[in-house]
Each structure stands twice: as structure tokens, then as C-alpha cells.
Amino acid sequence: MRGTTLVKLLDDLRAEARLSLNPAHNAQNRPLQVKALQREQERLWEDFDWPHLRIYPQAQVQAGQRYYETPENMNIERIERIEIFLNGDWVKLSPGIDAQHYSIWNSDLDARSWPPRRWQFNEDGDIELWPIPDTNADATSRDGYLRFTGIRDLNPLVADDDRADLDDIMLVGYCAAKILAASGAKDAKLTLDAANARYAKLRGRLTPRREFKMFGIGAPARTREIVITRYRPPRS
């Protein structure tokens, strides 16, 4: 179950690892137990693109603006795609900008055009658009709105009423297995195996399955991308 409070996670962890359930007896070890739960959740967060953590924040492009901040609560390494809204549809921007692109519209010389076609991260973790847009986003038609798709950061897991973003049985199982192994408990591997089975089951449920079609797979779905069909020279 997701959304379990930290205080409940700690209670379950102590029971699973055969530690005292009296909080007073665990006062000295509480910081280490909390850290173990945090670290395990971070490891599992990095290991899989959990669908329930996927978010779609939006931003407006601005004429003459080359760089845009990474959306709040989203790690740059977990951004999956960036799209721009054009003529009633979301259009995927291609990742990567190189010398060939700058030879068409040189962003260093403030060359501008419409619409932006590509993106990349700069050294500061901001997002660069190419070419630099020469038009502001339209709040009415929503043309020029950017949509970011990616996995959000984990919520804090520090206070007793903070809630875990991932499954409690899985988190507790992995942490308890390490505590039991450190104490030489013979059933540490059984606890680890149970946690692995829980993880595999959750991933299996959340991984999209390929659709079977008796009479062929049909035409593959195509993602709409921007194609340069008309050259608009940079504004002087």
C-alpha cells in the first residue's frame, strides 16, 4: 500500500526485524531506521518509472527566451519528453541541439523562429529551446505551451506523519532483510526473497503489456513531430 505514514513504517519495520515495538527502546536507533527507509525508497524510485509518480507540468514559451527552468519537483534525469502545443495538438520536441542546428538559427546571435523544434539541458540544468521562439505563448489557443512529462521527486519522509510514495510492504521488507542479515538471522534471505517477490509483482502490474491482435499488429502508432516545411529567416 502507498501513502503509509512514517510512524507506521517504523512500527512495521521493527516488527518485521524482530526489534522492540516500544518507541522509547528505539529512540537511539530511530534516525538510522528512518534513513534506511529513505534510502531504500530512493533506490527503488531510481530503479523504475513508477506510473503514479508521473506528472505533466506546463510552461509558456516567451519570445526571445532561450532557457527555461526545469519544472519544480522534477529531476532533470527523470524528464521523459517535452512537447509544445500547436494548432490544437501536442507536438513532440526532439532532444539534442548541435552545430548543424545552430548553423540554421544561431541562438548565440539571438536568431529566432517559430515554432521551437528541439531541446537540451545546459550546464546549469536549465532547458534550452531551439530555435529561440519569436512569439509568445497564446493563453487563449494555448499555442506555445510546453508540457513536460516525467517522474516527480519523492515527497519528504522525515516527520511521523509524512507518507511514503512507494509500497510499504516492499520498503519494510527490504529494510528488515538488511537488519536481519546484519544480526545473522537465518531467515534474512526469506525476508529478502519476499521483498523481491513483492517488487516483481508490483512492477508486473504497472508495466504496460503488449496488445495481441489476431489478424496482425496493424499500423504502428506515430508520434507527431515538427517538420520544417517553411523557412522563416531570423528577425533583424
Side-chain angles (χ1 to χ4, degrees):
M1 179 185 297
R2 303 190 302 264
T4 301
T5 62
L6 176 58
V7 68
K8 177 68 163 54
L9 287 172
L10 289 170
D11 189 62
D12 291 346
L13 173 60
R14 292 158 185 165
E16 188 73 19
R18 295 195 294 278
L19 303 174
S20 172
L21 297 181
N22 188 333
H25 295 167
N26 289 276
Q28 186 175 357
N29 292 325
R30 183 186 187 281
L32 292 176
Q33 294 167 358
V34 171
K35 189 63 178 179
L37 290 165
Q38 293 171 341
R39 187 167 55 246
E40 203 59 46
Q41 182 169 236
E42 289 169 1
R43 179 185 72 82
L44 294 165
W45 172 82
E46 290 181 348
D47 194 57
F48 182 62
D49 293 335
W50 300 94
H52 68 282
L53 299 181
R54 186 169 284 113
I55 56 175
Y56 307 88
Q58 297 185 19
Q60 301 179 42
V61 302
Q62 301 293 328
Q65 184 173 337
R66 181 177 180 180
Y67 299 105
Y68 296 79
E69 291 185 357
T70 302
E72 185 179 359
N73 201 29
M74 182 182 285
N75 190 295
I76 61 173
E77 296 178 354
R78 304 306 295 272
I79 291 180
E80 298 170 345
R81 67 178 179 273
I82 301 177
E83 300 160 294
I84 187 168
F85 197 74
L86 296 172
N87 302 318
D89 197 9
W90 288 106
V91 182
K92 181 181 177 182
L93 299 182
S94 300
I97 307 170
D98 56 32
Q100 177 184 3
H101 302 114
Y102 290 130
S103 69
I104 303 174
W105 289 291
N106 191 333
S107 299
D108 291 334
L109 299 178
D110 198 30
R112 306 179 186 184
S113 187
W114 186 262
R117 295 159 172 80
R118 307 186 72 87
W119 69 277
Q120 69 176 5
F121 294 115
N122 71 355
E123 61 275 11
D124 297 323
D126 292 330
I127 295 167
E128 176 182 358
L129 295 185
W130 177 92
I132 298 173
D134 63 5
T135 304
N136 290 327
D138 189 318
T140 301
S141 67
R142 300 191 70 80
D143 276 3
Y145 274 67
L146 297 173
R147 181 171 70 181
F148 305 85
T149 300
I151 304 300
R152 69 166 173 82
D153 294 336
L154 292 169
N155 288 323
L157 193 60
V158 180
D160 282 349
D161 58 352
D162 287 345
R163 296 181 179 273
D165 285 312
L166 300 183
D167 182 76
D168 56 355
I169 297 176
M170 177 177 62
L171 290 177
V172 166
Y174 278 120
C175 291
K178 292 180 179 179
I179 294 174
L180 290 170
S183 66
K186 295 181 179 180
D187 58 346
K189 187 177 184 306
L190 293 176
T191 303
L192 178 61
D193 289 344
N196 283 330
R198 179 72 173 184
Y199 183 30
K201 184 176 182 179
L202 290 173
R203 286 192 58 156
R205 288 176 179 173
L206 298 173
T207 301
R209 295 181 180 142
R210 292 184 178 181
E211 184 177 349
F212 174 77
K213 295 184 179 181
M214 183 176 296
F215 300 104
I217 61 174
R222 299 180 61 183
T223 301
R224 184 182 170 193
E225 297 187 2
I226 299 172
V227 179
I228 300 177
T229 57
R230 178 172 61 88
Y231 174 79
R232 183 193 292 185
R235 293 182 175 179
S236 57

